Amino acid sequence: MSAEQAQRHEWTVTGMDCASCSAKVTRAVERLPGVGEVRVALMAERLSLTLEPGTTGRDEIEGVVRKLGYGIAPKGQQAPRRKALVLPDAPPPSAEAAAQPSRHDHDAGGESWYRTGKGRLVILTGVLLAAAWGLELLTSTETGYWAFLAACLIGVAPVARRAWAALRMGQPFTIEALMTMAAIGALFIGAAEEAALVVFLFALGEVLEGVAAGKARDGIRALADLVPKTALLEIDGATREISADRLEIGQTVLVRPGDRIPADGEIVDGIGGVDESLVTGESVPRTRGPGEPVFAGSINAEATLRIRVTREPADNTIARIIRLVEEAEEARAPTERFIDRFSRWYMPAVVAVAALVMLVPPLGFGADWDTWVYRGLALLLIGCPCALVISVPASIASALSAGARRGLLMKGGAVIEAAAGIRHVALDKTGTLTRGRPAVVRILPAPGIGEAVLLATAAGVEAGSGHPLAQAILHRAAEAGIAPPPARAARALPGQGVEAVLGESRAWVVSPRHAATLGGLHDAGAAEALEAEGMTVVAVLDEHRPLGLIALRDEPRPDAAEAMRQLRAMGIEATMLTGDNPRTAQAIAGTLGIGFQAAMLPADKLAAIREMAAQGGVMMIGDGINDAPALKQASVGVAMGSGTDVALETADAAILRDRVADVPALIRLARATMGNIRQNVAIALGLKAVFLVTSVLGITGLWIAILADTGATVLVTLNALRLLGHDPGKVG
């Protein structure tokens, strides 16, 4: 296929309830000429592929999917629900019906189970089964037999059609094929009542799988529902309500207290608390003002805000998170890939063993044909790998959804599996372990000078500066309620500091070394001691006298020490990698009780990650920009930042909250997921092992076999759904 000519196409596919459904769609579509890079996302209900022009048409692809029994429509349109009682060759719905827009691309749910095609099949087969039992009770066994025969044939017909469609597309070993063979085989040996019961239980199992799959999708649907459907657009001072998906970059919207913000944007007027918990997971509202960014779906908690739209509705933070979670399904875990390969030869093996069970005892040992055909049919049913195949993707999907709601994004099962095996965590300092901006930590006035005078002078000199140290001093003065005095003739002294005229006197905020040359350093020993502790020290003086020293440092985040304690308790070693000087690094690392490597260039961090990786899985936490080489080299690279493009689109995972404690939380979520997967595999294989033996020995029959298979599928799905309620931030 020519990569230059191939174009990407995407559809919404409804009716896929388990991994075998997505596998059927994938294998059927990838056989078509000109089709490549087929990706089917089960939880997102999405089919995407590349298509070379002039080969297979889009309508042909849609026809293939419909023949398999699934609903399909181009992305952005409402896909019809799967109708179990409709012939596979039935014409597609009208263009008008197909063009009805869905609430959002990934949402194809919302129907009650009894209104779906599968639900109606359950009701129909249940009624027929009950009617057959009633006839047998009221008339005779012979009449009852014919009633059970009719119930079985009517119920198995749509299943057989799907099996035949899959067979024509080169997929002979599907659950529908096994079900059809078992039901028809049971009729041949006179077990019509059991055959009808098996058909009913199979239909019931499919409904239960659909309900469980719908629950697993609810996490992603809930995210999209957080973005309001309408917005108050402001034009020339007047407001009017429009659909939120019609907003354009540069427009201004009015958001009243209590309303959700309809788009990613920047505040142009108003100051108030904004609840960003849906994006960052942080429950405490943050005060936002003019010039600061806000996210779509956040709640305006206090004052009316005017917000300028900075992103298209399809590209807002929530939409990007949803896309990442959906796309993460495609990054399959090694365990999932192994199980998929295993299931490809497992199904033919089950059919072969069932055939041997049916043929060898009667032909080789003169055993009763009916008995061993019956046992072989039971073996066919119990051998279905549905529970095993869905055991991994159901857990992965639940974990991705649970993590997204708590500000923890992991890009697929491979990342989850790697994160669960982490033995070493490397962390950048600035912006990761620390806030990324300096703060005033010590104030030492000169003898006879008050702290207020020292702060006021420093704030006055720095009032016009945007330097991080200046901003830290101004912030501390504002906290103390000190207004900076008017300043004039301010100028920067490159490499030394700033000077300005306050009133009639010139004042300076400079390095201790420069202050000493001006005769304005009152305590050189104190300045050296503070610098030895990793602080940045500035001296404040005026024309007449030294006023004192101010020490600043980029302090660790409030939860950093607790996060490091949690990592140690989990048996994980933590190391800080920083380009800062060893003195500053020692001060921060000593506070947190972790090792450190300082004065590192990006290449040095890369080498350090490689060295750690030789001792086991390593996770690198950084800002996603200057740490890019190390993030890519690590077993799992994690970008940290509140909803930024870097945090969402680089590395293997992202922590949306500015909380170091989310690092151990992310690892706990990964470990819980892998534990859940192991439980699911044990349930699936354990039940099969038990019932395979009992079926061959004749202890359990057809209806028990299908009930066990359905039960295993439902059990592993429900077990996976437990992850939706898992709180990885909870310690112990």
Side-chain angles (χ1 to χ4, degrees):
M1 180 187 300
S2 172
E4 291 74 22
Q5 292 180 334
Q7 297 178 355
R8 196 86 194 163
H9 299 275
E10 193 168 315
W11 291 265
T12 298
V13 178
T14 57
M16 298 187 298
D17 301 327
C18 67
S20 63
C21 294
S22 57
K24 274 194 294 186
V25 173
T26 301
R27 293 167 189 167
V29 172
E30 66 187 3
R31 292 163 51 92
L32 299 174
V35 172
E37 297 181 35
V38 179
R39 298 174 185 170
V40 178
L42 174 65
M43 293 303 161
E45 298 187 302
R46 185 180 65 246
L47 163 65
S48 64
L49 51 82
T50 57
L51 185 60
E52 189 174 356
T55 55
T56 302
R58 289 173 58 97
D59 55 346
E60 187 176 349
I61 292 172
E62 293 173 7
V64 165
V65 175
R66 288 193 186 97
K67 286 179 180 179
L68 289 173
Y70 305 104
I72 184 171
K75 179 182 178 182
Q77 297 182 10
Q78 178 68 54
R81 304 308 297 174
R82 174 171 158 182
K83 305 298 184 183
L85 299 180
V86 175
L87 288 171
D89 296 323
S94 66
E96 293 77 7
Q100 292 300 316
S102 60
R103 286 187 298 159
H104 30 72
D105 291 343
H106 58 277
D107 184 7
E111 282 188 296
S112 300
W113 70 268
Y114 53 84
R115 299 181 63 184
T116 64
K118 290 181 179 179
R120 286 194 288 271
L121 180 60
V122 167
I123 295 171
L124 175 61
T125 53
V127 169
L128 290 172
L129 191 61
W133 273 322
L135 280 173
E136 184 179 50
L137 183 64
L138 296 174
T139 58
S140 64
T141 302
E142 183 178 350
T143 304
Y145 172 83
W146 290 107
F148 285 121
L149 176 64
C152 175
L153 291 176
I154 292 172
V156 84
V159 180
R161 292 186 187 112
R162 300 205 305 266
W164 174 245
L167 177 63
R168 292 172 61 187
M169 295 174 195
Q171 301 179 54
F173 301 108
T174 61
I175 177 58
E176 289 85 2
L178 298 186
M179 180 66 227
T180 303
M181 285 189 288
I184 294 175
L187 293 179
F188 271 109
I189 62 173
E193 181 176 356
E194 278 201 88
L197 181 57
V198 164
V199 169
F200 169 73
L201 290 174
F202 176 77
L204 178 61
E206 284 203 313
V207 168
L208 292 175
E209 287 175 10
V211 171
K215 292 293 183 184
R217 295 181 179 115
D218 283 346
I220 297 176
R221 290 175 183 151
L223 277 176
D225 288 338
L226 290 173
V227 179
K229 303 294 182 265
T230 60
L232 289 176
L233 178 63
E234 185 176 275
I235 302 177
D236 298 328
T239 60
R240 63 187 180 92
E241 187 174 83
I242 67 168
S243 175
D245 58 14
R246 292 172 52 199
L247 289 173
E248 298 177 0
I249 294 175
Q251 291 181 328
T252 300
V253 294
L254 190 70
V255 183
R256 298 165 298 193
D259 288 349
R260 289 192 182 273
I261 296 171
D264 280 10
E266 182 179 279
I267 296 175
V268 295
D269 183 46
I271 300 175
V274 176
D275 179 1
E276 301 173 347
S277 58
L278 77 144
V279 175
T280 67
E282 185 61 64
S283 58
V284 179
R286 293 188 175 187
T287 300
R288 298 292 190 191
E292 294 191 279
V294 289
F295 308 122
S298 301
I299 300 174
N300 176 20
E302 297 175 354
T304 298
L305 301 176
R306 294 174 64 243
I307 297 170
R308 182 175 61 85
V309 178
T310 58
R311 284 188 182 274
E312 297 282 355
D315 194 40
N316 64 42
T317 301
I318 295 299
R320 285 182 291 147
I321 290 174
I322 290 169
R323 282 200 299 272
L324 284 170
V325 173
E326 292 177 346
E327 290 166 4
E329 286 189 69
E330 297 166 7
R332 303 167 70 193
T335 300
E336 185 178 359
R337 291 196 295 269
F338 169 77
I339 288 178
D340 185 57
R341 291 194 301 270
F342 172 77
S343 66
R344 285 176 181 258
W345 60 261
Y346 170 82
M347 288 282 278
V350 166
V351 173
V353 171
L356 290 174
V357 168
M358 294 179 192
L359 298 174
V360 172
L363 292 178
F365 305 98
D368 179 62
W369 276 98
D370 284 357
T371 299
W372 288 97
V373 168
Y374 182 89
R375 293 180 184 182
L377 294 175
L379 193 62
L380 272 182
L381 294 179
I382 197 61
C384 172
C386 281
L388 182 62
V389 171
I390 203 174
S391 60
V392 179
S395 297
I396 296 295
S398 295
L400 292 173
S401 181
R405 292 207 307 269
R406 293 169 175 83
L408 307 174
L409 294 182
M410 289 180 282
K411 297 183 179 180
V415 175
I416 292 176
E417 192 160 337
I422 291 301
R423 292 293 173 264
H424 204 126
V425 171
L427 305 102
D428 178 44
K429 179 181 77 70
T430 306
T432 300
L433 282 172
T434 66
R435 294 182 181 276
R437 56 182 184 273
V440 174
V441 292
R442 295 282 296 279
I443 299 176
L444 279 73
I449 302 298
E451 185 175 301
V453 173
L454 172 60
L455 269 178
T457 303
V461 173
E462 297 280 22
S465 174
H467 192 280
L469 295 180
Q471 293 299 308
I473 291 172
L474 290 167
H475 181 71
R476 180 59 177 269
E479 284 184 336
I482 298 171
R488 57 188 173 86
R491 70 187 184 96
L493 305 173
Q496 297 171 342
V498 184
E499 70 174 18
V501 176
L502 304 180
E504 300 301 322
S505 175
R506 184 166 296 278
W508 292 264
V509 177
V510 293
S511 67
R513 185 176 303 165
H514 187 60
T517 64
L518 297 175
L521 184 63
H522 80 283
D523 192 341
E528 291 177 1
L530 291 171
E531 287 179 335
E533 294 180 25
M535 301 181 192
T536 299
V537 181
V538 296
V540 184
L541 60 147
D542 60 20
E543 293 177 351
H544 311 291
R545 56 189 172 169
L547 300 178
L549 301 172
I550 297 177
L552 306 96
R553 186 166 65 189
D554 184 10
E555 289 287 86
R557 295 182 185 274
D559 65 333
E562 171 61 18
M564 298 304 103
R565 185 198 66 77
Q566 291 181 25
L567 288 174
R568 287 193 295 272
M570 296 165 67
I572 297 173
E573 183 180 354
T575 302
M576 183 177 73
L577 305 180
T578 178
D580 216 333
N581 64 76
R583 189 169 53 193
T584 301
Q586 171 64 54
I588 298 295
T591 302
L592 301 177
I594 61 175
F596 72 94
Q597 296 183 42
M600 305 188 80
L601 297 173
D604 299 323
K605 291 186 178 181
L606 185 63
I609 292 294
R610 286 174 176 163
E611 184 178 338
M612 294 176 194
Q615 305 169 15
V618 57
M619 176 182 285
M620 173 68 191
I621 320 293
D623 62 11
I625 303 174
N626 56 358
D627 296 312
L631 287 169
K632 290 299 181 185
Q633 180 64 40
S635 306
V636 179
V638 180
M640 191 169 186
S642 299
T644 63
D645 287 341
V646 168
L648 291 173
E649 295 168 9
T650 65
D652 303 306
I655 292 174
L656 301 186
R657 299 187 288 190
D658 289 328
R659 291 182 52 183
V660 189
D662 280 347
V663 174
L666 187 146
I667 297 173
R668 275 194 293 269
L669 177 59
R671 290 183 175 181
T673 304
M674 295 310 298
N676 189 275
I677 288 172
R678 286 189 288 271
Q679 293 167 8
N680 280 350
V681 172
I683 291 171
L685 292 180
L687 282 175
K688 289 195 182 302
V690 170
F691 285 97
L692 280 171
V693 173
T694 57
S695 295
V696 172
L697 296 178
I699 299 173
T700 53
L702 286 177
W703 71 273
I704 290 291
I706 192 64
L707 188 61
D709 174 66
T710 298
T713 303
V714 173
L715 279 177
V716 298
T717 306
L718 292 177
N719 188 48
L721 291 178
R722 292 193 305 111
L723 288 171
L724 291 173
H726 178 70
D727 183 4
K730 187 176 181 180
V731 182

